[in-house]
Amino acid sequence: MKSIKDTKRSERAVRHRAEICLGEKRYAANSLPGNDPNKLIHELRVHQLELEMQNEELRLVREELEASRAKYIDLYDFAPVGYFTLGTTGKILEANLMAANFLGIERMKLLNRPFSNFIAPEFQDKYYLHNKSIMSHGNQEACDLKIQKKNGDSLFIHLESMPICNVQNTITQIRISIINIHEKKILEDLLKESAERNELLLNMLPHTAILIDKNQKILAANQMAKNHGAKVGEYYSPDIIGIGKYESKADHENVTNVRSNDVQGIFCITDNGRALQRLITVVKDSNDAVSVLDLKGNIKAWNSRAVDMYGYSESEALKMSVFELIPDSLKVETHKLLKEIVSGRSVQPFETKRITKDGRLVDIWLTITKLARDGKISAIATTERDMTEINRWLVSITSLPQRIILAVEKERARISQEIHSDFGQSLITLKMYIITAASMFIDGNPELRILIEEVKNQLTSIIRKARDVSHELAPPSLKYVGLVQAIKQMIEFARHERKLKIIFFHRNTQSVSFNTNDIMIYRIVQEALNNIFKHAEATIVRIKALCSKSTFFLEISDNGKGFDSSNAYCSNGLGLVLMKEQAALIQSTFSIETQIGKGTTIKIKVPMKEQENSEGM
């Protein structure tokens, strides 16, 4: 502010300039009489010119002020930075256009509203401490916050606050500048997340490994590398213990030339220092799906094979939880397993199921690896191999013997029908022709009569054998008299042919029928008897057939020499294997009890519908 002395000096200067402009000499005040009209006219002219000059100065000052105001408006209102002026209560007194734009509210509607109303809830405490520090210490402060716009969107900002004091050094206002750092903050978070993910991937490797950029700056390092001196943010040095030195200039050049997609320098340096294998080769381009999960099951890494297997892109997967890939029937079990893994339990590889993006259910072979940081489990890596096609192939291979059995039975039935309907009938017709033709010539020719009788006997024998073969291929008794009666007939024939004591006991089996599956039980009994005849050297065979409300029991035992049960399915014979596969075809359980010198017992249990009770022997 100007003093009184400066103001008077300025006035005198104006008067002096006015007198000069009039071109007249200034007379001393005491040289003219007080009522001299010339003096009065002179004074009036001087004052008039003084006023004109003062007006001119005021006009120039006003123009300067207008120019300064325009500059202020340009610098304040149109600044690329948001400016607020707050009162001591925190209410907005002024705001520039950029500040209003940040909040998405008209500038006039911001006035007298608390600035804290626009701070995101999770940052309210941080802003309170920031403001408190300014009011307490009077220093300029800065911090990063998140504000909420009118449309609900949030924005990360860098906020700097400066206190404004009066002549008594009391804070009267606070001026705030805000800068949009939203993209920078998001990028920093992505880079941090990427670095953490890369560290998790590096920790999957069984040796020291680092991730560096094209300038050889270390972006991530696994725990083994850190233990040997690697530090994130510093530049790679060949002197890092355990990382290894470059073998040649060519090896050194490979570091800056390695590129994979848009990420540079993704590779690991092995202990021997020769092969600079890229991490992406180990993990991202693995033939198996590889993912990294946090301790809650959220997906933090997702390789290209996982994209192919499940159909989710990497960006989609990184927003998902592993539980979104798990069928509902396995979610409870998986939650429990995750807790056990976090608690330190080791899990052996196992087979489970996953759901793809298009809703397909796939079989996978899952290997789980715990990733540790500073001695604590920090994440979980999974390696998943698609077993769907392999399992389909295994099912096909496993069911092949059963399909062969069904095909054999079908072919047996066809051959039996051919023998019975074609070959058998042709033999009978031939026999009738021979008898008819012979009757015309045998009278008076005893030798011819003998020959014809011999031919008749041979044809009869052939017809009988053909019928037996036909019945053995497809026993008609199964169709006409039922399973139990067919087994009885088989036993009677065996008693007659083999002269072996066979005891058959059955109960509640009168109406037992498995329709087309009767042949399988019949074959099991047939094969068991054949094995006893050929190998057991038994004298007594006991066959039991019992039927409850829901199960048919069949037991075949002998007092023969038995065998080593550990080699039951490893011998050259196919009898036991065939019986086991035949039992599997009718969803029954099959077991063998045997011991060398103590005979053999075969048991099967067949599930069935409730049958009417009927006893028999």
Side-chain angles (χ1 to χ4, degrees):
M1 296 179 64
K2 292 184 178 180
S3 64
I4 297 175
K5 186 182 292 185
D6 291 337
T7 302
K8 290 182 176 180
R9 188 182 296 116
S10 176
E11 291 176 352
R12 285 198 299 271
V14 171
R15 180 179 178 85
H16 177 68
R17 283 160 51 200
E19 290 177 343
I20 292 174
C21 289
L22 288 173
E24 296 182 3
K25 292 184 178 180
R26 184 176 178 183
Y27 295 97
N30 55 2
S31 64
L32 293 174
N35 56 356
D36 189 347
N38 292 328
K39 182 177 179 182
L40 292 174
I41 292 171
H42 172 78
E43 288 295 329
L44 289 173
R45 288 180 176 176
V46 169
H47 282 299
Q48 180 182 0
L49 193 57
E50 284 179 353
L51 291 174
E52 290 176 355
M53 295 178 69
Q54 287 177 352
N55 285 336
E56 180 64 19
E57 286 187 355
L58 288 174
R59 185 183 65 79
L60 293 175
V61 170
R62 180 178 179 181
E63 289 180 354
E64 289 178 359
L65 288 175
E66 290 290 341
S68 298
R69 184 173 181 272
K71 289 180 180 179
Y72 170 78
I73 292 174
D74 286 341
L75 292 174
Y76 185 81
D77 280 351
F78 301 107
V81 178
Y83 290 123
F84 290 95
T85 301
L86 307 183
T88 54
T89 59
K91 292 185 177 180
I92 300 173
L93 303 179
E94 291 184 73
N96 71 347
L97 294 176
M98 183 56 70
N101 183 57
F102 279 156
L103 298 178
I105 301 176
E106 294 179 15
R107 179 162 54 170
M108 296 304 297
K109 293 182 179 180
L110 287 174
L111 302 183
N112 295 318
R113 295 180 63 177
F115 182 71
S116 59
N117 287 359
F118 304 101
I119 304 297
E122 63 269 27
F123 286 88
Q124 287 286 348
D125 290 344
K126 187 174 183 180
Y127 174 70
Y128 170 78
L129 295 174
H130 169 87
N131 207 41
K132 183 180 180 181
S133 177
I134 294 172
M135 299 301 293
S136 300
H137 304 101
N139 297 328
Q140 185 171 337
E141 300 285 346
C143 65
D144 293 339
L145 299 172
K146 184 192 286 186
I147 59 175
Q148 288 184 324
K149 303 177 71 172
K150 182 180 179 180
N151 61 3
D153 294 341
S154 57
L155 187 74
F156 281 103
I157 62 166
H158 176 72
L159 182 144
E160 291 189 7
S161 302
M162 181 178 67
I164 304 300
C165 301
N166 57 16
V167 292
Q168 287 82 25
N169 204 30
T170 301
I171 297 175
T172 58
Q173 294 179 345
I174 298 175
R175 290 179 183 169
I176 292 176
S177 66
I178 61 174
I179 300 174
N180 184 354
I181 60 168
H182 191 75
E183 292 185 0
K184 178 183 176 183
K185 184 68 174 176
I186 295 299
L187 181 60
E188 287 178 353
D189 291 343
L190 289 175
L191 289 175
K192 181 180 179 181
E193 183 179 350
S194 176
E196 291 176 351
R197 184 164 65 249
N198 289 329
E199 182 178 340
L200 293 174
L201 295 175
L202 289 168
N203 277 321
M204 294 175 65
L205 302 174
H207 47 70
T208 52
I210 60 173
L211 176 67
I212 65 176
D213 63 14
K214 64 180 181 179
N215 297 317
Q216 300 186 41
K217 187 176 181 179
I218 299 176
L219 302 177
N222 66 359
Q223 192 59 47
M224 291 181 66
K226 290 179 180 179
N227 293 340
H228 287 87
K231 294 182 179 179
V232 176
E234 296 187 0
Y235 288 94
Y236 167 73
S237 170
D239 296 328
I240 295 176
I241 301 173
I243 298 294
K245 297 183 178 181
Y246 298 118
E247 296 292 333
S248 65
K249 182 180 179 181
D251 289 335
H252 183 275
E253 291 173 350
N254 285 337
V255 174
T256 56
N257 292 333
V258 172
R259 288 177 179 265
S260 178
N261 296 332
D262 294 328
V263 185
Q264 299 179 357
I266 297 186
F267 55 85
C268 59
I269 302 175
T270 58
D271 287 331
N272 59 21
R274 283 192 60 84
L276 301 179
Q277 302 171 342
R278 289 177 294 175
L279 177 62
I280 198 166
T281 301
V282 178
V283 178
K284 193 167 185 179
D285 290 344
S286 170
N287 289 328
D288 295 329
V290 176
S291 60
V292 176
L293 315 175
D294 64 16
L295 300 185
K296 295 182 179 180
N298 298 313
I299 299 172
K300 296 300 181 182
W302 190 256
N303 74 343
S304 57
R305 179 61 182 135
V307 175
D308 296 337
M309 186 182 299
Y310 296 114
Y312 292 100
S313 66
E314 183 177 7
S315 59
E316 290 175 319
L318 295 180
K319 299 175 184 177
M320 296 170 57
S321 165
V322 69
F323 293 100
E324 296 178 54
L325 304 174
I326 296 172
D328 291 339
S329 59
L330 297 176
K331 284 184 178 179
V332 174
E333 178 184 343
T334 306
H335 274 290
K336 181 179 179 181
L337 180 62
L338 182 61
K339 290 181 180 179
E340 291 176 349
I341 293 171
V342 172
S343 66
R345 174 193 164 191
S346 296
V347 179
Q348 295 299 318
F350 63 96
E351 188 170 330
T352 185
K353 295 184 181 297
R354 292 286 186 267
I355 301 174
T356 63
K357 186 176 182 179
D358 58 8
R360 290 183 298 107
L361 198 64
V362 294
D363 300 324
I364 66 163
W365 184 254
L366 181 64
T367 302
I368 296 174
T369 305
K370 291 175 287 187
L371 304 179
R373 179 184 294 170
D374 300 327
K376 297 182 179 179
I377 298 174
S378 58
I380 300 167
T382 66
T383 303
E384 299 156 29
R385 179 165 298 178
D386 190 347
M387 300 292 291
T388 307
E389 288 300 322
I390 295 175
N391 285 346
R392 189 176 292 119
W393 177 78
L394 288 174
V395 168
S396 177
I397 292 298
T398 303
S399 64
L400 182 59
Q402 298 175 15
R403 297 205 307 272
I404 291 175
I405 291 171
L406 292 174
V408 167
E409 290 298 336
K410 186 177 180 180
E411 187 64 13
R412 280 176 169 176
R414 187 190 67 80
I415 294 173
S416 174
Q417 185 65 27
E418 288 289 332
I419 292 174
H420 176 74
S421 302
D422 188 4
F423 183 68
Q425 294 298 326
S426 297
L427 287 175
I428 293 172
T429 302
L430 177 59
K431 180 180 177 180
M432 292 176 62
Y433 281 150
I434 291 174
I435 293 172
T436 303
S439 63
M440 296 192 248
F441 302 102
I442 59 174
D443 291 341
N445 192 342
E447 293 179 358
L448 182 58
R449 183 185 293 275
I450 294 172
L451 179 60
I452 293 299
E453 288 296 324
E454 184 64 27
V455 171
K456 286 168 56 179
N457 293 334
Q458 288 294 329
L459 284 173
T460 301
S461 177
I462 292 171
I463 291 170
R464 186 175 62 251
K465 289 179 179 179
R467 184 175 61 250
D468 291 343
V469 171
S470 175
H471 290 177
E472 185 175 355
L473 289 172
S477 53
L478 278 176
K479 182 177 180 181
Y480 298 110
V481 298
L483 175 61
V484 174
Q485 292 301 318
I487 293 175
K488 278 185 177 182
Q489 292 180 11
M490 184 199 319
I491 291 171
E492 291 299 326
F493 179 79
R495 285 171 178 163
H496 176 71
E497 292 291 325
R498 303 290 181 173
K499 295 181 171 46
L500 183 65
K501 185 177 181 180
I502 303 176
I503 301 172
F504 181 36
F505 173 80
H506 60 93
R507 186 174 63 191
N508 300 340
T509 59
Q510 190 63 31
S511 58
V512 170
S513 176
F514 299 95
N515 298 322
T516 56
N517 289 330
D518 283 354
I519 188 64
M520 296 303 161
I521 299 174
Y522 182 88
R523 294 298 184 200
I524 291 172
V525 177
Q526 187 181 52
E527 189 62 41
L529 290 176
N530 286 338
N531 284 345
I532 293 170
F533 298 154
K534 293 178 181 178
H535 309 294
E537 299 177 5
T539 57
I540 301 175
V541 178
R542 289 181 173 85
I543 301 176
K544 296 179 183 178
L546 306 174
C547 187
S548 69
K549 291 183 178 180
S550 59
T551 309
F552 173 75
F553 299 91
L554 179 65
E555 181 179 301
I556 307 166
S557 60
D558 65 73
N559 63 347
K561 62 181 182 180
F563 57 89
D564 185 357
S565 60
S566 62
N567 297 323
Y569 301 106
C570 301
S571 61
N572 294 330
L574 295 175
L576 293 177
V577 175
L578 284 174
M579 284 189 282
K580 184 178 180 181
E581 297 298 337
Q582 286 162 344
L585 274 170
I586 54 177
Q587 290 78 49
S588 63
T589 59
F590 178 87
S591 62
I592 299 176
E593 298 174 3
T594 184
Q595 191 174 350
I596 296 176
K598 294 187 178 180
T600 302
T601 300
I602 295 173
K603 296 179 180 180
I604 67 168
K605 293 181 181 180
V606 188
M608 60 180 297
K609 294 181 180 179
E610 184 176 346
Q611 303 290 333
E612 296 180 2
N613 293 336
S614 179
E615 296 186 0
M617 275 293 292

